[in-house]
Amino acid sequence: MTHATHPGPDRPPGPEGPADAKLGFSTPSGRRRVARARFGPESRRDPHLPQLIRNALLDDRGQGQRCVQVRLSAADATEPAARALLDTEAGTALRLHRLVEGTENAPLFPRLIGYELDTAEPFLLYDPPRGATAAKTHVIAATDQRVLTRDLMLALCLLEGQGLVPRGISPATVLWDGASLQLWGLEAVTAIGSPRTPWGRAPYASPEQRRGEGAADPRDAVWSAAQVLYRLVTGRPGHPDRPPADLAEHRVLNETLREAFAPRASARPTPAQLLDLLPQGTARRTTLPPPPPEETRQDREVFEQALRAKRQAPTAPATSAASASAGLGESEVLCPYCLEIIQLDLGALYVTDSRMQYQRLDLAGIGKLRRQDVMRGAVQKCAADPDFPEHFIPVPYLTYGRPLTVAMVGQSSTGKSHLLTQMIAEITDGGLEPFGLTWQSVNPEQHARFVRERVQPLRNGHVLDHTGGVGLDGFARFVESLLITDANGQVRPVAFFDLGGEDLVRTDSALRFLLGVDALVFVVDPVLALPLPQLDHARERGNIEVNRDGDLAFATVLDRLPKTGPYLEVAATMVLGKADLLRFQSPVDRWLGRGPLTALDPVQLREESQDVHAFLRRHAGQAWLRPFDAIRRCTLHVASATGGQEDQGRYPAGAAPRRVLEPLLSLLAMHGLIDVPGGPEAFARGEAAAWETVPAQGPGDEEFGVPGARGAGGPGRERERGGEEK
């Protein structure tokens, strides 16, 4: 569904649009540009698609620059699917700009001038289209057929080299100026190998594509190109499901494209094979990828060396810092506020009344059938430290053994609150079920309040307040607690904390909280870390400057955690947050565009960690990688809690999270709650190569292990030591 009306340079802006509007947008280089603009009449590119298109005249440099604006209306922009189409078009246009700008292949695609997507009416700006659409072009000569076929196949080869399939090739998106081709319809591009979804109309969309069968293949576009060329040669559409009956009557078409009309993609030639039938060798020069730059090889080697050092270093006890220092057993619980040992005390229980005030709970008059339900909503007043401010603990937190505590670390502008809110929301939406885990709230009242005050406003597009303090009178407090049940039926509380950066740095009490943490999520703010030009506008809006020395909150946490060996043994992840700001930047685009995980693949996780490590090392500097360098088990991820940036206090299309659950899945795997190939240790550090020299294990090794990590030396399974000793 890709018909488009392309206004041309011969249609000047008219009086229908604003006479003098101001546009702010980012250029392909990432720089910010503001220009006054005049607009011509508007039309819809395709009656089945939401994008609008109109001519425009930009005037910010003393002379007018003619262009075309592709945009969404405010009403259409509230639909996530419409924004996804414009995002796809912008990402493809930017990728092609980086690939072909300044080369002889640049004219094959629309040239992007700028884009502004995180606004109520998102838009793209292009140079005016070159030529007329094939839909308006009369029958072309045989000599033009070869040139047009060459250009079209060359465009397909370039897209295939980027891992992309253009599904939108039709007479409305192929432009011809009598000498060369220009291919539009970039909103219909999809990744090679992604599931086909129904798109397009006969005969230009292939039969498999129209039915949404199988996986996207570059040869889908070969069918579309062949159908467009047939129409240009004959003046009529071809057959929707098989080769045209009169194909043999058109010699040039028959010689080059006969097999392109095969009903199934597997029987068609590739774009490169068709291109080889024209100028010999062009396809190979076009499709051969350049060798990776030297810096890429160095980045990969640095990452592998770091993992190798972690594997070969002597292993320290993999218990939490609090357990190690306090000598806690598996059944003992540490109060997350005062960090003292607490036990269930049936005489110190409370429930809240209708005014949300705590009232003492007397269990004497409650029967056994009701007691379990009442206990789920009850809290216990902690008296372990009489000098500590009054605080209460949910009863289920005390009845399932030692909880797994997860803390978000980073300065207060990093987006931790949004990320944690979406992470918990994904759990309660069933995000853990594919991994054999189920959930239940620790305290129903607390959970309902969390959903009401955090999840619902964020999903409705409201910007959440930053974490003002870390808790009660400046001390750490819960954000939320959940009971996680694994595939073996074992239940463990998991408690989440959001540490405000400033309080974390200033207060000793907040730092003391870290002694009881089992897992850390270090959230990297790209605005603070990366001196990339496309982030300058976000820095200006937030009055933020790049900090090459790393996040102060990271350093404070790492310096405070006890160290019993060359590495810290707490499980950790690093998350490049606000990744929507970098959604068109490699390698972020590679990971952010992927769908939710349904299984944990250690190889894929290692690839993502390597990509993020290289990206931060190259652009942010080694200081921002300190958590990875200091902690033995640390994976790296990209995530976006909102899918876009706020505009005047709201997210225009609502908050659309991307890959927010993956960091938590890694932490759960490191703690043995999710079974992964090779066990938790190999999952985080990679499998040791056969040639690696692994140091001999010291005495007492059998005591080392992640508490509760079944299959990794934890209580759930006996560890087989015989094969590990050297």
Side-chain angles (χ1 to χ4, degrees):
M1 295 174 286
T2 51
H3 287 305
T5 301
H6 293 275
D10 57 330
R11 292 171 57 189
E16 291 84 349
D20 194 6
K22 182 179 286 187
L23 289 182
F25 55 90
S26 298
T27 66
S29 66
R31 301 296 179 187
R32 196 69 183 166
R33 180 178 170 187
V34 178
R36 296 203 172 275
R38 296 175 63 86
F39 298 105
E42 196 167 63
S43 61
R44 195 170 290 276
R45 287 213 297 191
D46 184 305
H48 296 85
L49 295 179
Q51 297 97 319
L52 301 168
I53 190 166
R54 59 184 173 181
N55 283 318
L57 183 67
L58 301 179
D59 186 7
D60 63 333
R61 299 171 179 175
Q63 59 181 3
Q65 179 182 7
R66 293 185 179 275
C67 64
V68 167
Q69 184 190 53
V70 176
R71 74 181 193 97
L72 295 177
S73 68
D76 286 330
T78 62
E79 297 295 332
R83 281 189 175 266
L85 283 176
L86 200 66
D87 253 34
T88 297
E89 181 171 355
T92 306
L94 280 166
R95 186 182 292 193
L96 291 172
H97 181 92
R98 300 183 189 113
L99 180 69
V100 303
E101 183 69 9
T103 73
E104 61 181 359
N105 294 324
L108 294 173
F109 304 102
R111 182 178 181 274
L112 186 67
I113 296 174
Y115 59 97
E116 180 68 6
L117 300 175
D118 295 324
T119 185
E121 296 186 11
F123 63 87
L124 311 176
L125 297 172
Y126 292 105
D127 274 350
R130 183 176 45 77
T133 64
K136 298 180 180 179
T137 302
H138 298 295
V139 175
I140 60 175
T143 53
D144 289 341
Q145 291 179 40
R146 292 187 175 90
V147 175
L148 204 153
T149 303
R150 180 203 64 200
D151 284 0
L152 193 47
M153 294 306 152
L154 184 55
L156 300 191
C157 284
L158 291 167
L159 287 164
E160 182 181 358
Q162 297 296 302
L164 302 174
V165 180
R167 301 179 298 168
I169 297 176
S170 76
T173 59
V174 174
L175 276 64
W176 174 251
D177 65 0
S180 61
L181 166 142
Q182 191 175 62
L183 181 63
W184 286 68
L186 302 183
E187 75 282 349
V189 165
T190 192
I192 294 174
S194 61
R196 288 192 184 102
T197 54
W199 184 280
R201 293 188 291 272
Y204 305 105
S206 70
E208 293 157 307
Q209 183 176 299
R210 297 197 308 271
R211 294 191 297 265
E213 298 175 351
D217 190 301
R219 292 169 291 186
D220 296 345
V222 168
W223 168 281
S224 303
Q227 290 286 359
V228 170
L229 289 165
Y230 178 81
R231 187 189 188 283
L232 284 169
V233 170
T234 65
R236 59 181 179 272
H239 195 281
D241 297 309
R242 60 175 182 268
D246 62 345
L247 184 60
E249 300 174 13
H250 307 283
R251 183 177 57 84
V252 175
L253 275 180
N254 193 46
E255 289 175 354
T256 56
L257 298 175
R258 181 174 61 253
E259 295 179 353
F261 292 98
R264 303 194 66 82
S266 58
R268 297 178 208 130
T270 65
Q273 288 170 335
L274 289 176
L275 192 57
D276 268 341
L277 298 178
L278 299 164
Q280 290 297 319
T282 305
R284 292 187 191 88
R285 290 196 302 273
T286 301
T287 57
L288 279 177
E294 183 62 28
E295 64 179 8
T296 301
R297 288 191 289 269
Q298 291 175 353
D299 290 336
R300 186 181 301 117
E301 182 57 29
V302 167
F303 178 77
E304 293 298 337
Q305 287 177 353
L307 290 187
R308 190 155 54 245
K310 292 181 179 186
R311 290 192 294 265
Q312 294 179 343
T315 304
T319 54
S320 73
S323 299
S325 61
L328 288 180
E330 281 299 306
S331 62
E332 294 179 301
V333 177
L334 202 68
C335 172
Y337 299 127
C338 65
L339 299 178
E340 300 292 340
I341 296 175
I342 182 173
Q343 294 179 336
L344 181 65
D345 181 359
L346 298 181
L349 302 186
Y350 291 77
V351 292
T352 54
D353 60 19
S354 59
R355 296 176 299 167
M356 303 304 293
Q357 300 297 311
Y358 285 119
Q359 302 295 334
R360 186 175 289 276
L361 173 64
D362 183 5
L363 294 173
I366 301 176
K368 292 183 178 181
L369 292 178
R370 285 190 56 223
R371 180 171 295 195
Q372 184 176 2
D373 185 61
V374 171
M375 293 282 279
R376 276 205 69 219
V379 295
Q380 175 175 319
K381 184 177 180 179
C382 178
D385 184 352
D387 296 326
F388 198 84
E390 184 179 63
H391 54 290
F392 298 84
I393 312 299
V395 168
Y397 195 82
L398 306 173
T399 56
Y400 288 98
R402 191 171 64 79
L404 179 74
T405 56
V406 180
M408 313 289 285
V409 183
Q411 294 187 30
S412 60
S413 62
T414 59
K416 304 185 314 300
S417 298
H418 292 78
L419 180 60
L420 182 54
T421 298
Q422 296 285 35
M423 189 181 289
I424 296 171
E426 292 276 304
I427 294 174
T428 58
D429 281 347
L432 295 180
E433 291 178 5
F435 305 91
L437 305 180
T438 58
W439 74 277
Q440 191 177 21
S441 63
V442 168
N443 183 281
E445 183 179 286
Q446 180 189 70
H447 178 68
R449 184 169 62 250
F450 177 80
V451 172
R452 183 174 62 252
E453 296 178 358
R454 306 295 287 178
V455 175
Q456 290 177 351
L458 182 55
R459 287 184 167 178
N460 290 333
H462 295 283
V463 177
L464 299 180
D465 294 333
H466 294 304
T467 307
V470 211
L472 188 64
D473 294 331
F475 296 102
R477 62 177 170 84
F478 289 122
V479 170
E480 173 67 305
S481 301
L482 300 174
L483 297 175
I484 303 297
T485 304
D486 67 15
N488 299 316
Q490 297 194 31
V491 181
R492 189 170 187 185
V494 178
F496 299 91
F497 300 84
D498 183 354
L499 276 62
E502 288 78 8
D503 292 296
L504 181 59
V505 171
R506 289 199 305 263
T507 66
D508 235 22
S509 302
L511 287 173
R512 186 169 61 153
F513 158 81
L514 294 171
L515 295 175
V517 167
D518 297 292
L520 295 169
V521 180
F522 294 89
V523 183
V524 177
D525 184 350
V527 179
L528 193 64
L530 301 168
L532 298 174
Q534 59 263 47
L535 301 175
D536 288 344
H537 183 53
R539 278 187 277 270
E540 292 173 8
R541 294 176 61 184
N543 194 25
I544 296 172
E545 294 183 355
V546 173
N547 184 357
R548 301 291 290 184
D549 296 324
D551 192 318
L552 181 58
F554 291 7
T556 306
V557 170
L558 294 171
D559 290 341
R560 189 62 182 264
L561 290 172
K563 197 172 185 180
T564 55
Y567 295 98
L568 296 169
E569 297 297 339
V570 63
T573 62
M574 292 187 66
V575 181
L576 180 58
K578 301 181 184 177
D580 51 273
L581 285 168
L582 301 164
R583 60 189 183 271
F584 306 127
Q585 173 85 39
S586 177
V588 176
D589 57 351
R590 176 187 177 193
W591 299 103
L592 197 62
R594 298 195 178 191
L597 292 180
T598 56
L600 279 182
D601 180 356
V603 174
Q604 187 179 95
L605 178 89
R606 185 167 171 173
E607 289 177 1
E608 182 180 10
S609 293
Q610 179 177 285
D611 279 351
V612 178
H613 183 276
F615 186 68
L616 291 176
R617 179 176 179 268
R618 192 178 310 145
H619 297 293
Q622 201 66 35
W624 280 94
L625 286 166
R626 190 178 170 195
F628 175 80
D629 293 335
I631 298 172
R632 183 191 299 271
R633 298 174 298 151
C634 183
T635 56
L636 297 94
H637 307 265
V638 299
S640 170
T642 59
Q645 295 303 292
E646 60 93 9
D647 184 37
Q648 300 179 359
R650 286 186 57 85
Y651 299 102
R658 299 190 194 181
R659 295 183 68 81
V660 295
L661 198 54
E662 279 73 2
L664 179 62
L665 293 173
S666 289
L667 293 174
L668 295 178
M670 291 182 214
H671 278 278
L673 273 73
I674 299 175
D675 289 331
V676 288
E681 292 298 317
F683 178 78
R685 298 179 297 167
E687 296 279 4
W691 53 267
E692 288 184 22
T693 302
V694 181
Q697 304 293 338
D701 245 3
E702 49 275 8
E703 299 176 2
F704 297 170
V706 181
R710 286 171 296 283
R717 187 183 300 169
E718 283 288 320
R719 197 172 200 172
E720 296 178 3
R721 286 287 176 185
E724 294 182 356
E725 295 179 353
K726 302 292 179 185

